[in-house]
Amino acid sequence: MGIALSLTASLLWGTADFQAGKASRRLPLLTVMLFSQMAGFLGLVLVLAFSRHLDLGAVGWGIAAGVTSLGSLACFYRALAVGTMSIVAPIVATSAAVPVVGGFILGEHPGPAAIGGIVLALAGVVLASRQRIHAPIRDHRLSVGLAVAAAFFLGLQLVFLHQAGQIDALTGVSASRLTSVAVFALIALVLRPAVTVRQLSGVAFIGVLDTAANLAFTLATLNGALSTVAILSSLYPLVTVGLAYVQLHERLSRTQLTGVAAAITGVLLIVS
């Protein structure tokens, strides 16, 4: 179950990131972030209405996850807007290093095959993120810097979601999303970004996917080691790169293809 939920989180995050990258190139960043977060939170409210269960002990960790997600999303979506999607997304996937270290600190001890898989998967996403010589460059240096910052914040967010999940996953994810929505709403009241109803449908879809991925990851940590779940969940760039290849015709170099193959091999080792 932990493996299935982790890979589900990767699929959802990868699709959400691809859609966010496209949306951030035609809409203001604040618009994409605010309305996607709101859509995800409304979905959680519906689930909470039916479950009728809250555990306030998870709220603190959820708020911490929400705060770090603000920094992660802001840096990530901006990096997607100014950089090459198939370069930015794998860099952000190195965020898995943070919860891997956290897992070791918490006393997790994966077997030799799993450790080898973790190292190989991380090396794979690094190789997959290398800039191609003939790649279309928008603002490569800025996008890479933003992607590294996004990776750090996202790694902390995953650790906080894990801690919230130990108490109550749904409450923790809801508190996280409410925190980010509240901050974005305050900013929107000041800046008043322009948006049309037609534009909101695609943005709302991003938020639903992202929120579902957060919930899947948090539940996965209840059924597997944090370090292993983090690596499996961090493979979402493969989905983003695949969609960019098919829909945007972004091409990968041999080095990047080698990185993708290494990441997949790492997953097989972890699963074994």
Side-chain angles (χ1 to χ4, degrees):
M1 181 62 71
I3 292 173
L5 286 170
S6 300
L7 295 177
T8 297
S10 281
L11 178 62
L12 295 172
W13 267 325
T15 305
D17 290 346
F18 174 74
Q19 297 296 336
K22 291 175 60 179
S24 297
R25 294 176 180 179
R26 57 184 174 82
L27 295 173
L29 178 61
L30 179 59
T31 298
V32 175
M33 297 177 69
L34 171 62
F35 289 100
S36 64
Q37 296 285 296
M38 286 182 62
F41 177 68
L42 290 176
L44 286 172
V45 169
L46 292 176
V47 175
L48 285 171
F50 284 101
S51 67
R52 298 180 180 180
H53 173 72
L54 286 174
D55 192 325
L56 297 181
V59 171
W61 289 113
I63 292 175
V67 171
T68 50
S69 74
L70 292 172
S72 174
L73 287 173
C75 293
F76 186 33
Y77 286 3
R78 182 57 182 167
L80 287 172
V82 302
T84 302
M85 192 178 296
S86 57
I87 301 298
V88 171
I91 294 177
V92 178
T94 59
S95 61
V98 178
V100 165
V101 173
F104 281 109
I105 293 175
L106 293 174
E108 295 178 358
H109 300 288
I115 292 176
I118 288 172
V119 173
L120 194 57
L122 284 174
V125 294
V126 171
L127 287 175
S129 68
R130 292 190 64 181
Q131 175 70 26
R132 296 166 293 158
I133 297 176
H134 301 292
I137 300 175
R138 297 178 182 85
D139 196 334
H140 179 61
R141 181 175 297 180
L142 175 61
S143 67
V144 168
L146 289 169
V148 171
F152 175 72
F153 287 123
L154 177 56
L156 288 179
Q157 179 191 356
L158 296 181
V159 173
F160 294 147
L161 285 176
H162 164 69
Q163 293 298 105
Q166 303 305 304
I167 304 171
D168 182 69
L170 187 57
T171 302
V173 174
S174 299
S176 170
R177 190 82 342 151
L178 176 60
T179 301
S180 57
V181 167
V183 173
F184 287 136
L186 289 175
I187 297 174
L189 286 175
V190 177
L191 300 181
R192 299 182 181 277
V195 65
T196 65
V197 175
R198 182 178 179 181
Q199 294 171 328
L200 291 183
S201 58
V203 174
F205 182 56
I206 295 169
V208 172
L209 289 174
D210 181 62
T211 301
N214 285 350
L215 187 57
F217 170 84
T218 307
L219 292 173
T221 62
L222 301 179
N223 296 275
L226 174 60
S227 55
T228 301
V229 169
I231 292 297
L232 293 177
S233 300
S234 73
L235 297 175
Y236 58 86
L238 302 183
V239 179
T240 305
V241 169
L243 291 172
Y245 178 89
V246 173
Q247 295 195 20
L248 302 181
H249 308 293
E250 292 187 357
R251 296 297 182 258
L252 303 181
S253 67
R254 290 183 179 180
T255 300
Q256 290 175 304
L257 289 173
T258 301
V260 171
I264 294 175
T265 304
V267 171
L268 295 177
L269 286 172
I270 292 171
V271 171
S272 70

